[in-house]
Amino acid sequence: MRSDTVWIEAHAKSLGFDLCGVVRAEHFPELGRTEEWLARGYAGEMKYLADPRRREAASVMPGIRSVIVCALNYNTDLPRSTEVPGGSPGDEPRGWISRYAWGADYHQVLHGKLTALADAMRKRLEEPFEARVYADTGPVQERILAKYAGLGWLGKNTLLLNQRLGSWIFLGAILTTLELAPTLEEGTLPPPDLCGSCRRCIEACPTGAFVEPYVMDARRCISYLTIELRGPIPDEFREPVGRNVIGCDICQDVCPWNRRALVTTDEGFRPRTYPFADSKAPEDIAEQVVRASLDGEEPRAASVAAEESLFFPRLEWLLSMDEAEFRQLFRDSAIKRAKWRGLVRNACVAVGNSGLSRETPTHGRILALLGRLSASQDAVVAESALWALSRIQRAGEQSLA
Ligand code: SF4
Ligand code: SF4
């Protein structure tokens, strides 16, 4: 039994996983706290979190005995959201997309690797068994299972942290009827909590989403507000959302364990780039470059960019995207969960927070886009565009005054 666990852990690594551990399908203390968390309303509109199977690993699958938990590092060597400047008058308005969504859709990547692991187990192990694969796709709290499989500890920011990898890890699980030896032998405690007296994540959160260490009110979290919430972003959060358009990395970016986290060698998690979606943009930009050089100015770096990128993307690009383009560009990206309406709604809020001024080269074009969006059939998009227009106008009047 122990040799099977050792083989599974080694094979998972040969498939590209950075961490792998096995845990018995038991009741874990953290799962018992879900009920109270739900009762306090912290799940917001995420009704799927109330699925009672999420509170008991053993109820997810008949005959389940063990869970194999795997982790994949997606940390790239690009700057943190907290290191990227912007917001000065005249800057091209840009939005932040959370690091996990820059590259390949992690659901697909994890699912493929976990299925390959389950298939390899079927070939190697003589005993017949059932196995189900979950990659943030079922009623499984992977991070809690990961803690008891020895992969790390649950930090004050509620995420799984590993000493070598920090929190930039995707988690997936194979639930199985196999009786496997757990990675942490009987009587061994899970990895210790190394947060110590640190409170950086709690203090840095712009929306005050941590009601106390280790407890998050998801309704206040920018990830929820920009991805899960389908209606308008509540007024009280619009300004704190800042330039975040898909998720938020702040509580991870400030974490000291992420400062020294290993960088992945998987190119698939680097930010995707796209040719200009708007056929008019290159001409406009070429025109700006010519105009700038005639005026003896240095052309702006953003103006000569050859392509759009998911790393700190131009908000003008996001605002100009229609539903068909959105579906086509993000069909195999985690961004699709936000839907077109969510992305454009968030881009409106971010541009409203951007301090867009007349000095910004794209000022006129962005106002025109917001004008068009304010007449959208989609009430949420229309209202968000009007909000952005009124913010920009107010900022302009204040600067004149
Ligand atoms: S992701 Fe952002 S908004 Fe959410 S808890 Fe972390 S810092 Fe706060
Ligand atoms: S920022 Fe500090 S408290 Fe928060 S998860 Fe990281 S180590 Fe823990």
Side-chain angles (χ1 to χ4, degrees), residues 153-159 161 167 193-202 210 213-214 251-252 254-258:
W153 75 97
L154 297 174
K156 288 180 192 169
N157 63 5
T158 73
L159 300 169
L161 282 155
S167 61
D193 180 339
L194 297 179
C195 283
S197 58
C198 175
R199 288 177 54 89
R200 286 185 200 192
C201 51
I202 297 165
F210 297 109
Y214 310 100
C251 59
Q252 298 193 79
V254 299
C255 178
W257 290 101
N258 281 338

Side-chain angles (χ1 to χ4, degrees), residues 33-43 219:
R33 290 177 210 139
T34 311
E35 193 126 10
E36 192 193 338
W37 187 81
L38 289 166
R40 290 195 196 175
Y42 292 161
R219 295 169 303 181

Side-chain angles (χ1 to χ4, degrees), residues 19 143 146-154 160-163 190-192:
L19 305 168
R143 62 197 182 92
K147 169 181 168 179
Y148 290 94
L151 270 51
W153 75 97
L154 297 174
L160 186 89
L161 282 155
N162 174 275
Q163 277 196 64

